[in-house]
Amino acid sequence: AYTVRPGDHLWKIATEVVSAHGGAASRRAVATYWAQLVSVATPQLRSGDPNLIYPGETLELPPLHGMGDGS
């Protein structure tokens, strides 16, 4: 799970998660994970809008499947 912090947005969260699990995150790896994150997170958001997330919201993150290097 991930708790949204001030200044977060889903692309930033995706970048942090991919980086934490595989070093430098390629744009392709982040984009792939971001798409999964948007799909999983949108129903969890009180706004229902992936472009509007609030600090303190808790998101269940989708699993990573070998995306750290973008291959």
Side-chain angles (χ1 to χ4, degrees), residues 25-64:
S26 73
R27 186 167 179 82
R28 183 171 126 197
V30 173
T32 299
Y33 188 72
W34 172 84
Q36 293 174 359
L37 179 57
V38 168
S39 178
V40 169
T42 298
Q44 300 175 54
L45 299 173
R46 69 178 176 187
S47 70
D49 180 351
N51 294 310
L52 183 59
I53 63 175
Y54 295 97
E57 285 186 293
T58 301
L59 306 176
E60 292 299 322
L61 300 175
L64 279 168

